[in-house]
Amino acid sequence: MSSVRPPGLPLVEAMTPAVLVLPGPVTRDEVAELCDGVRARLEATGAGVVVVDVAGLGPPGLGAVDLLARLELAARRTGGRIRLREPDPALHALLGLVGLRFEVEGQVEEREPPLRVEEEVEPGEPAV
């Protein structure tokens, strides 16, 4: 008895995240549809991450922050998360300002500084 293997590489395809491209400024009416798209991609791939391409999102503002927060919430409720691709530096700064941290594609993971780091002291400075 033999079985036919499905085409492709199942292990690699399960680990490859799906991509959601935001074509431009998103209206409030489109947010629910995009959240459904994130959920569907997570369920279809099983990868646990959806890459959201925000390069064409337009000027950063609170609408973009709200959209990304809702997409992340939809992903978390499905058991995954989102990763940003090509965010504008101003958008990245605005997200940090409101306290939202997203993984950015190609960015080195932030870690805590090593313990017992010694600072250099100038001659003549009093000891602390």
Side-chain angles (χ1 to χ4, degrees):
M1 179 181 214
S2 65
S3 62
V4 178
R5 279 184 56 196
L9 302 170
L11 180 63
V12 173
E13 290 171 359
M15 294 173 26
T16 304
V19 178
L20 174 67
V21 178
L22 300 178
V26 177
T27 64
R28 194 100 167 118
D29 299 332
E30 296 171 316
V31 172
E33 183 180 326
L34 290 170
C35 288
D36 291 340
V38 166
R39 281 189 216 93
R41 283 171 174 80
L42 283 169
E43 291 170 355
T45 62
V49 176
V50 172
V51 175
V52 179
D53 189 335
V54 294
L57 194 56
L62 293 179
V65 170
D66 180 60
L67 168 66
L68 294 174
R70 289 176 185 275
L71 292 177
E72 176 70 11
L73 182 61
R76 295 276 174 140
R77 287 180 175 168
T78 311
R81 62 189 187 335
I82 65 171
R83 181 184 306 148
L84 303 182
R85 176 182 286 171
E86 297 184 33
D88 185 88
L91 175 62
H92 197 259
L94 183 59
L95 290 169
L97 184 67
V98 297
L100 294 175
R101 294 193 175 210
F102 290 96
E103 184 179 334
V104 177
E105 202 172 56
Q107 183 181 33
V108 178
E109 182 180 331
E110 287 186 30
R111 296 189 179 161
E112 292 186 20
L115 298 176
R116 301 178 192 207
V117 175
E118 294 182 24
E119 293 184 16
E120 201 172 302
V121 179
E122 295 292 325
E125 282 188 4
V128 178

